[in-house]
mmCIF file of all heavy atoms in Angstrom:
data_model
loop_
_atom_site.group_PDB
_atom_site.id
_atom_site.type_symbol
_atom_site.label_atom_id
_atom_site.label_comp_id
_atom_site.label_asym_id
_atom_site.label_seq_id
_atom_site.Cartn_x
_atom_site.Cartn_y
_atom_site.Cartn_z
ATOM 1 N N ARG K 1 83.409 198.152 89.685
ATOM 2 C CA ARG K 1 84.228 199.085 90.452
ATOM 3 C C ARG K 1 83.665 199.209 91.865
ATOM 4 O O ARG K 1 82.448 199.118 92.059
ATOM 5 C CB ARG K 1 84.240 200.470 89.790
ATOM 6 C CG ARG K 1 84.880 200.515 88.421
ATOM 7 C CD ARG K 1 86.396 200.385 88.521
ATOM 8 N NE ARG K 1 87.044 200.581 87.226
ATOM 9 C CZ ARG K 1 87.270 199.640 86.338
ATOM 10 N NH1 ARG K 1 86.870 198.386 86.577
ATOM 11 N NH2 ARG K 1 87.890 199.921 85.198
ATOM 12 N N PRO K 2 84.511 199.460 92.862
ATOM 13 C CA PRO K 2 84.000 199.561 94.229
ATOM 14 C C PRO K 2 83.205 200.840 94.497
ATOM 15 O O PRO K 2 82.395 200.881 95.425
ATOM 16 C CB PRO K 2 85.266 199.520 95.092
ATOM 17 C CG PRO K 2 86.365 199.956 94.192
ATOM 18 C CD PRO K 2 85.982 199.498 92.820
ATOM 19 N N PHE K 3 83.416 201.871 93.673
ATOM 20 C CA PHE K 3 82.760 203.149 93.914
ATOM 21 C C PHE K 3 82.181 203.701 92.615
ATOM 22 O O PHE K 3 82.639 203.355 91.523
ATOM 23 C CB PHE K 3 83.743 204.161 94.513
ATOM 24 C CG PHE K 3 84.274 203.739 95.863
ATOM 25 C CD1 PHE K 3 85.542 203.190 95.983
ATOM 26 C CD2 PHE K 3 83.487 203.873 96.995
ATOM 27 C CE1 PHE K 3 86.025 202.786 97.224
ATOM 28 C CE2 PHE K 3 83.959 203.462 98.239
ATOM 29 C CZ PHE K 3 85.225 202.927 98.350
ATOM 30 N N ALA K 4 81.217 204.579 92.746
ATOM 31 C CA ALA K 4 80.613 205.206 91.576
ATOM 32 C C ALA K 4 81.643 206.023 90.806
ATOM 33 O O ALA K 4 81.565 206.153 89.584
ATOM 34 C CB ALA K 4 79.442 206.088 91.994
ATOM 35 N N ALA K 5 82.622 206.591 91.523
ATOM 36 C CA ALA K 5 83.673 207.385 90.893
ATOM 37 C C ALA K 5 84.813 206.527 90.348
ATOM 38 O O ALA K 5 85.727 207.055 89.734
ATOM 39 C CB ALA K 5 84.223 208.411 91.878
ATOM 40 N N GLY K 6 84.772 205.222 90.578
ATOM 41 C CA GLY K 6 85.810 204.335 90.070
ATOM 42 C C GLY K 6 86.465 203.504 91.152
ATOM 43 O O GLY K 6 85.797 202.940 92.011
ATOM 44 N N ARG K 7 87.781 203.455 91.150
ATOM 45 C CA ARG K 7 88.508 202.621 92.107
ATOM 46 C C ARG K 7 88.641 203.275 93.475
ATOM 47 O O ARG K 7 88.969 202.616 94.458
ATOM 48 C CB ARG K 7 89.893 202.277 91.557
ATOM 49 C CG ARG K 7 89.827 201.476 90.259
ATOM 50 C CD ARG K 7 91.164 200.898 89.871
ATOM 51 N NE ARG K 7 91.078 200.214 88.586
ATOM 52 C CZ ARG K 7 90.597 198.979 88.423
ATOM 53 N NH1 ARG K 7 90.156 198.308 89.462
ATOM 54 N NH2 ARG K 7 90.559 198.428 87.213
ATOM 55 N N ALA K 8 88.390 204.559 93.537
ATOM 56 C CA ALA K 8 88.424 205.296 94.799
ATOM 57 C C ALA K 8 87.194 206.186 94.874
ATOM 58 O O ALA K 8 86.633 206.567 93.844
ATOM 59 C CB ALA K 8 89.701 206.131 94.896
ATOM 60 N N PRO K 9 86.742 206.523 96.077
ATOM 61 C CA PRO K 9 85.540 207.347 96.192
ATOM 62 C C PRO K 9 85.775 208.774 95.731
ATOM 63 O O PRO K 9 86.887 209.309 95.821
ATOM 64 C CB PRO K 9 85.235 207.300 97.692
ATOM 65 C CG PRO K 9 86.554 207.051 98.345
ATOM 66 C CD PRO K 9 87.305 206.171 97.394
ATOM 67 N N GLY K 10 84.719 209.380 95.233
ATOM 68 C CA GLY K 10 84.766 210.775 94.801
ATOM 69 C C GLY K 10 83.446 211.449 95.102
ATOM 70 O O GLY K 10 82.549 210.868 95.735
ATOM 71 N N TYR K 11 83.297 212.663 94.624
ATOM 72 C CA TYR K 11 82.106 213.427 94.974
ATOM 73 C C TYR K 11 80.830 212.786 94.425
ATOM 74 O O TYR K 11 79.767 212.924 95.019
ATOM 75 C CB TYR K 11 82.240 214.867 94.500
ATOM 76 C CG TYR K 11 81.259 215.790 95.187
ATOM 77 C CD1 TYR K 11 81.213 215.879 96.578
ATOM 78 C CD2 TYR K 11 80.372 216.567 94.454
ATOM 79 C CE1 TYR K 11 80.316 216.721 97.213
ATOM 80 C CE2 TYR K 11 79.473 217.418 95.082
ATOM 81 C CZ TYR K 11 79.443 217.483 96.468
ATOM 82 O OH TYR K 11 78.537 218.306 97.095
ATOM 83 N N ALA K 12 80.918 212.063 93.320
ATOM 84 C CA ALA K 12 79.746 211.358 92.806
ATOM 85 C C ALA K 12 79.205 210.377 93.846
ATOM 86 O O ALA K 12 77.985 210.224 94.013
ATOM 87 C CB ALA K 12 80.082 210.622 91.512
ATOM 88 N N ASP K 13 80.103 209.715 94.552
ATOM 89 C CA ASP K 13 79.681 208.796 95.615
ATOM 90 C C ASP K 13 78.999 209.552 96.740
ATOM 91 O O ASP K 13 77.972 209.101 97.270
ATOM 92 C CB ASP K 13 80.889 208.037 96.166
ATOM 93 C CG ASP K 13 81.475 207.075 95.148
ATOM 94 O OD1 ASP K 13 80.944 205.967 95.022
ATOM 95 O OD2 ASP K 13 82.457 207.449 94.483
ATOM 96 N N TYR K 14 79.527 210.689 97.112
ATOM 97 C CA TYR K 14 78.975 211.424 98.240
ATOM 98 C C TYR K 14 77.615 212.030 97.898
ATOM 99 O O TYR K 14 76.746 212.153 98.769
ATOM 100 C CB TYR K 14 79.953 212.499 98.705
ATOM 101 C CG TYR K 14 81.343 211.967 98.948
ATOM 102 C CD1 TYR K 14 82.476 212.723 98.651
ATOM 103 C CD2 TYR K 14 81.537 210.673 99.451
ATOM 104 C CE1 TYR K 14 83.749 212.222 98.857
ATOM 105 C CE2 TYR K 14 82.817 210.170 99.659
ATOM 106 C CZ TYR K 14 83.912 210.942 99.352
ATOM 107 O OH TYR K 14 85.178 210.437 99.551
ATOM 108 N N ILE K 15 77.420 212.390 96.635
ATOM 109 C CA ILE K 15 76.111 212.881 96.199
ATOM 110 C C ILE K 15 75.062 211.796 96.384
ATOM 111 O O ILE K 15 73.985 212.034 96.948
ATOM 112 C CB ILE K 15 76.181 213.338 94.733
ATOM 113 C CG1 ILE K 15 76.984 214.636 94.618
ATOM 114 C CG2 ILE K 15 74.782 213.528 94.152
ATOM 115 C CD1 ILE K 15 77.291 215.048 93.186
ATOM 116 N N LEU K 16 75.340 210.598 95.890
ATOM 117 C CA LEU K 16 74.382 209.506 96.037
ATOM 118 C C LEU K 16 74.258 209.068 97.489
ATOM 119 O O LEU K 16 73.141 208.830 97.990
ATOM 120 C CB LEU K 16 74.806 208.322 95.170
ATOM 121 C CG LEU K 16 73.897 207.086 95.232
ATOM 122 C CD1 LEU K 16 72.484 207.422 94.784
ATOM 123 C CD2 LEU K 16 74.480 205.950 94.402
ATOM 124 N N PHE K 17 75.376 208.984 98.188
ATOM 125 C CA PHE K 17 75.340 208.524 99.569
ATOM 126 C C PHE K 17 74.521 209.455 100.446
ATOM 127 O O PHE K 17 73.848 209.008 101.376
ATOM 128 C CB PHE K 17 76.764 208.401 100.114
ATOM 129 C CG PHE K 17 76.822 207.923 101.529
ATOM 130 C CD1 PHE K 17 76.514 206.610 101.845
ATOM 131 C CD2 PHE K 17 77.164 208.791 102.558
ATOM 132 C CE1 PHE K 17 76.548 206.162 103.167
ATOM 133 C CE2 PHE K 17 77.212 208.354 103.869
ATOM 134 C CZ PHE K 17 76.898 207.037 104.176
ATOM 135 N N GLY K 18 74.562 210.739 100.169
ATOM 136 C CA GLY K 18 73.769 211.677 100.949
ATOM 137 C C GLY K 18 72.300 211.310 100.975
ATOM 138 O O GLY K 18 71.625 211.471 102.001
ATOM 139 N N ALA K 19 71.789 210.792 99.858
ATOM 140 C CA ALA K 19 70.383 210.403 99.795
ATOM 141 C C ALA K 19 70.098 209.240 100.744
ATOM 142 O O ALA K 19 69.062 209.215 101.432
ATOM 143 C CB ALA K 19 70.016 210.022 98.360
ATOM 144 N N PHE K 20 70.997 208.266 100.802
ATOM 145 C CA PHE K 20 70.791 207.124 101.695
ATOM 146 C C PHE K 20 70.981 207.503 103.158
ATOM 147 O O PHE K 20 70.261 206.998 104.036
ATOM 148 C CB PHE K 20 71.727 205.983 101.299
ATOM 149 C CG PHE K 20 71.314 205.288 100.042
ATOM 150 C CD1 PHE K 20 71.947 205.559 98.841
ATOM 151 C CD2 PHE K 20 70.267 204.387 100.048
ATOM 152 C CE1 PHE K 20 71.537 204.932 97.674
ATOM 153 C CE2 PHE K 20 69.850 203.748 98.888
ATOM 154 C CZ PHE K 20 70.490 204.023 97.691
ATOM 155 N N GLN K 21 71.911 208.397 103.428
ATOM 156 C CA GLN K 21 72.124 208.812 104.807
ATOM 157 C C GLN K 21 70.960 209.682 105.295
ATOM 158 O O GLN K 21 70.612 209.657 106.478
ATOM 159 C CB GLN K 21 73.453 209.548 104.920
ATOM 160 C CG GLN K 21 73.983 209.668 106.331
ATOM 161 C CD GLN K 21 74.498 208.355 106.902
ATOM 162 O OE1 GLN K 21 74.250 207.276 106.372
ATOM 163 N NE2 GLN K 21 75.205 208.434 108.014
ATOM 164 N N TRP K 22 70.342 210.411 104.404
ATOM 165 C CA TRP K 22 69.114 211.165 104.664
ATOM 166 C C TRP K 22 68.048 210.223 105.210
ATOM 167 O O TRP K 22 67.442 210.476 106.255
ATOM 168 C CB TRP K 22 68.693 211.780 103.341
ATOM 169 C CG TRP K 22 67.439 212.563 103.239
ATOM 170 C CD1 TRP K 22 66.809 213.293 104.211
ATOM 171 C CD2 TRP K 22 66.676 212.751 102.043
ATOM 172 N NE1 TRP K 22 65.709 213.917 103.688
ATOM 173 C CE2 TRP K 22 65.608 213.593 102.359
ATOM 174 C CE3 TRP K 22 66.803 212.276 100.735
ATOM 175 C CZ2 TRP K 22 64.647 213.984 101.406
ATOM 176 C CZ3 TRP K 22 65.865 212.670 99.791
ATOM 177 C CH2 TRP K 22 64.801 213.508 100.125
ATOM 178 N N ALA K 23 67.823 209.124 104.497
ATOM 179 C CA ALA K 23 66.814 208.158 104.920
ATOM 180 C C ALA K 23 67.200 207.473 106.222
ATOM 181 O O ALA K 23 66.372 207.322 107.137
ATOM 182 C CB ALA K 23 66.600 207.120 103.821
ATOM 183 N N ARG K 24 68.461 207.063 106.339
ATOM 184 C CA ARG K 24 68.889 206.332 107.529
ATOM 185 C C ARG K 24 68.774 207.173 108.793
ATOM 186 O O ARG K 24 68.488 206.655 109.874
ATOM 187 C CB ARG K 24 70.340 205.858 107.364
ATOM 188 C CG ARG K 24 70.799 204.907 108.456
ATOM 189 C CD ARG K 24 72.238 204.469 108.250
ATOM 190 N NE ARG K 24 73.194 205.418 108.785
ATOM 191 C CZ ARG K 24 73.586 205.460 110.058
ATOM 192 N NH1 ARG K 24 73.062 204.621 110.948
ATOM 193 N NH2 ARG K 24 74.485 206.333 110.454
ATOM 194 N N ALA K 25 68.961 208.473 108.659
ATOM 195 C CA ALA K 25 68.906 209.354 109.825
ATOM 196 C C ALA K 25 67.510 209.446 110.425
ATOM 197 O O ALA K 25 67.371 209.704 111.626
ATOM 198 C CB ALA K 25 69.395 210.750 109.451
ATOM 199 N N VAL K 26 66.481 209.232 109.601
ATOM 200 C CA VAL K 26 65.120 209.503 110.077
ATOM 201 C C VAL K 26 64.186 208.296 110.071
ATOM 202 O O VAL K 26 63.125 208.335 110.691
ATOM 203 C CB VAL K 26 64.472 210.637 109.258
ATOM 204 C CG1 VAL K 26 65.265 211.923 109.407
ATOM 205 C CG2 VAL K 26 64.306 210.270 107.786
ATOM 206 N N SER K 27 64.564 207.224 109.386
ATOM 207 C CA SER K 27 63.603 206.134 109.174
ATOM 208 C C SER K 27 64.244 204.756 109.305
ATOM 209 O O SER K 27 65.360 204.539 108.810
ATOM 210 C CB SER K 27 62.983 206.251 107.776
ATOM 211 O OG SER K 27 62.128 205.151 107.495
ATOM 212 N N PRO K 28 63.523 203.797 109.912
ATOM 213 C CA PRO K 28 64.021 202.422 109.970
ATOM 214 C C PRO K 28 63.725 201.621 108.704
ATOM 215 O O PRO K 28 64.089 200.449 108.612
ATOM 216 C CB PRO K 28 63.255 201.841 111.168
ATOM 217 C CG PRO K 28 61.944 202.577 111.155
ATOM 218 C CD PRO K 28 62.282 203.977 110.710
ATOM 219 N N LEU K 29 63.094 202.237 107.720
ATOM 220 C CA LEU K 29 62.711 201.523 106.502
ATOM 221 C C LEU K 29 63.942 201.002 105.767
ATOM 222 O O LEU K 29 64.907 201.735 105.545
ATOM 223 C CB LEU K 29 61.924 202.463 105.587
ATOM 224 C CG LEU K 29 61.371 201.847 104.298
ATOM 225 C CD1 LEU K 29 60.290 200.814 104.616
ATOM 226 C CD2 LEU K 29 60.805 202.946 103.391
ATOM 227 N N ARG K 30 63.894 199.722 105.364
ATOM 228 C CA ARG K 30 65.002 199.132 104.613
ATOM 229 C C ARG K 30 64.840 199.469 103.133
ATOM 230 O O ARG K 30 63.877 199.055 102.489
ATOM 231 C CB ARG K 30 65.031 197.621 104.813
ATOM 232 C CG ARG K 30 66.267 196.957 104.210
ATOM 233 C CD ARG K 30 66.326 195.481 104.544
ATOM 234 N NE ARG K 30 65.379 194.725 103.752
ATOM 235 C CZ ARG K 30 65.075 193.448 103.977
ATOM 236 N NH1 ARG K 30 65.625 192.799 104.987
ATOM 237 N NH2 ARG K 30 64.196 192.822 103.224
ATOM 238 N N LEU K 31 65.785 200.190 102.589
ATOM 239 C CA LEU K 31 65.694 200.626 101.199
ATOM 240 C C LEU K 31 66.272 199.617 100.217
ATOM 241 O O LEU K 31 65.839 199.557 99.071
ATOM 242 C CB LEU K 31 66.422 201.963 101.017
ATOM 243 C CG LEU K 31 65.915 203.149 101.842
ATOM 244 C CD1 LEU K 31 66.722 204.400 101.488
ATOM 245 C CD2 LEU K 31 64.432 203.391 101.621
ATOM 246 N N LEU K 32 67.275 198.841 100.646
ATOM 247 C CA LEU K 32 67.998 197.952 99.751
ATOM 248 C C LEU K 32 68.056 196.546 100.317
ATOM 249 O O LEU K 32 68.102 196.358 101.530
ATOM 250 C CB LEU K 32 69.431 198.462 99.550
ATOM 251 C CG LEU K 32 69.599 199.863 98.971
ATOM 252 C CD1 LEU K 32 71.051 200.314 99.099
ATOM 253 C CD2 LEU K 32 69.158 199.906 97.521
ATOM 254 N N GLU K 33 68.103 195.568 99.426
ATOM 255 C CA GLU K 33 68.293 194.178 99.835
ATOM 256 C C GLU K 33 69.793 193.886 99.945
ATOM 257 O O GLU K 33 70.602 194.449 99.199
ATOM 258 C CB GLU K 33 67.648 193.225 98.831
ATOM 259 C CG GLU K 33 66.132 193.375 98.740
ATOM 260 C CD GLU K 33 65.424 193.050 100.042
ATOM 261 O OE1 GLU K 33 65.972 192.244 100.832
ATOM 262 O OE2 GLU K 33 64.326 193.595 100.278
ATOM 263 N N PRO K 34 70.184 192.996 100.852
ATOM 264 C CA PRO K 34 71.624 192.740 101.081
ATOM 265 C C PRO K 34 72.378 192.223 99.867
ATOM 266 O O PRO K 34 73.607 192.369 99.810
ATOM 267 C CB PRO K 34 71.617 191.714 102.219
ATOM 268 C CG PRO K 34 70.321 191.942 102.922
ATOM 269 C CD PRO K 34 69.339 192.325 101.855
ATOM 270 N N ASP K 35 71.701 191.603 98.897
ATOM 271 C CA ASP K 35 72.407 191.097 97.721
ATOM 272 C C ASP K 35 72.532 192.131 96.603
ATOM 273 O O ASP K 35 73.048 191.837 95.522
ATOM 274 C CB ASP K 35 71.729 189.830 97.193
ATOM 275 C CG ASP K 35 70.283 190.060 96.751
ATOM 276 O OD1 ASP K 35 69.737 191.156 97.006
ATOM 277 O OD2 ASP K 35 69.698 189.131 96.165
ATOM 278 N N ASP K 36 72.089 193.346 96.852
ATOM 279 C CA ASP K 36 72.149 194.425 95.868
ATOM 280 C C ASP K 36 73.561 195.014 95.860
ATOM 281 O O ASP K 36 74.095 195.350 96.917
ATOM 282 C CB ASP K 36 71.122 195.505 96.257
ATOM 283 C CG ASP K 36 70.918 196.553 95.175
ATOM 284 O OD1 ASP K 36 71.854 196.827 94.401
ATOM 285 O OD2 ASP K 36 69.802 197.117 95.122
ATOM 286 N N PRO K 37 74.196 195.149 94.699
ATOM 287 C CA PRO K 37 75.516 195.794 94.660
ATOM 288 C C PRO K 37 75.517 197.197 95.271
ATOM 289 O O PRO K 37 76.542 197.643 95.790
ATOM 290 C CB PRO K 37 75.850 195.848 93.163
ATOM 291 C CG PRO K 37 75.047 194.751 92.545
ATOM 292 C CD PRO K 37 73.782 194.663 93.358
ATOM 293 N N VAL K 38 74.375 197.869 95.216
ATOM 294 C CA VAL K 38 74.297 199.205 95.811
ATOM 295 C C VAL K 38 74.380 199.115 97.336
ATOM 296 O O VAL K 38 74.931 199.992 97.993
ATOM 297 C CB VAL K 38 73.007 199.932 95.371
ATOM 298 C CG1 VAL K 38 72.993 201.363 95.909
ATOM 299 C CG2 VAL K 38 72.894 199.959 93.845
ATOM 300 N N TYR K 39 73.854 198.042 97.896
ATOM 301 C CA TYR K 39 73.949 197.814 99.344
ATOM 302 C C TYR K 39 75.415 197.669 99.756
ATOM 303 O O TYR K 39 75.859 198.288 100.724
ATOM 304 C CB TYR K 39 73.166 196.553 99.706
ATOM 305 C CG TYR K 39 73.097 196.222 101.181
ATOM 306 C CD1 TYR K 39 71.935 196.467 101.906
ATOM 307 C CD2 TYR K 39 74.172 195.629 101.847
ATOM 308 C CE1 TYR K 39 71.851 196.145 103.257
ATOM 309 C CE2 TYR K 39 74.107 195.314 103.194
ATOM 310 C CZ TYR K 39 72.938 195.566 103.891
ATOM 311 O OH TYR K 39 72.867 195.251 105.229
ATOM 312 N N ALA K 40 76.173 196.868 98.991
ATOM 313 C CA ALA K 40 77.590 196.670 99.306
ATOM 314 C C ALA K 40 78.361 197.980 99.153
ATOM 315 O O ALA K 40 79.255 198.283 99.966
ATOM 316 C CB ALA K 40 78.176 195.583 98.404
ATOM 317 N N TRP K 41 78.025 198.757 98.124
ATOM 318 C CA TRP K 41 78.661 200.065 97.951
ATOM 319 C C TRP K 41 78.367 200.970 99.151
ATOM 320 O O TRP K 41 79.274 201.631 99.672
ATOM 321 C CB TRP K 41 78.139 200.708 96.668
ATOM 322 C CG TRP K 41 78.346 202.183 96.596
ATOM 323 C CD1 TRP K 41 79.467 202.835 96.172
ATOM 324 C CD2 TRP K 41 77.424 203.198 96.997
ATOM 325 N NE1 TRP K 41 79.301 204.202 96.266
ATOM 326 C CE2 TRP K 41 78.046 204.448 96.775
ATOM 327 C CE3 TRP K 41 76.125 203.181 97.506
ATOM 328 C CZ2 TRP K 41 77.412 205.659 97.046
ATOM 329 C CZ3 TRP K 41 75.485 204.380 97.780
ATOM 330 C CH2 TRP K 41 76.140 205.593 97.566
ATOM 331 N N ARG K 42 77.107 200.994 99.592
ATOM 332 C CA ARG K 42 76.759 201.841 100.734
ATOM 333 C C ARG K 42 77.561 201.433 101.968
ATOM 334 O O ARG K 42 78.025 202.291 102.723
ATOM 335 C CB ARG K 42 75.261 201.756 101.022
ATOM 336 C CG ARG K 42 74.804 202.657 102.161
ATOM 337 C CD ARG K 42 73.308 202.550 102.404
ATOM 338 N NE ARG K 42 72.911 201.187 102.700
ATOM 339 C CZ ARG K 42 71.637 200.808 102.894
ATOM 340 N NH1 ARG K 42 70.669 201.688 102.810
ATOM 341 N NH2 ARG K 42 71.359 199.552 103.161
ATOM 342 N N GLU K 43 77.753 200.147 102.173
ATOM 343 C CA GLU K 43 78.566 199.680 103.295
ATOM 344 C C GLU K 43 79.998 200.223 103.200
ATOM 345 O O GLU K 43 80.580 200.649 104.200
ATOM 346 C CB GLU K 43 78.595 198.152 103.317
ATOM 347 C CG GLU K 43 77.267 197.513 103.715
ATOM 348 C CD GLU K 43 76.966 197.743 105.174
ATOM 349 O OE1 GLU K 43 77.705 197.226 106.029
ATOM 350 O OE2 GLU K 43 75.997 198.482 105.462
#
């Protein structure tokens, strides 16, 4: 599925995404590799 909530985004996606946006706002550290399905979801 393209999103954690299924075929369309939902609050489950925003809960998880908040954690990644937290890191991106403050740090240049790369958390995910480009071939990770979670990386594609974050995009």
Side-chain angles (χ1 to χ4, degrees):
R1 296 287 187 272
F3 297 102
R7 298 192 184 280
Y11 198 56
D13 292 278
Y14 309 144
I15 289 171
L16 179 60
F17 180 71
F20 286 101
Q21 197 72 346
W22 177 29
R24 189 180 84 84
V26 299
S27 175
L29 184 67
R30 188 175 75 191
L31 300 182
L32 301 169
E33 296 297 333
D35 61 351
D36 190 331
V38 184
Y39 183 104
W41 161 85
R42 183 180 58 183
E43 290 290 295

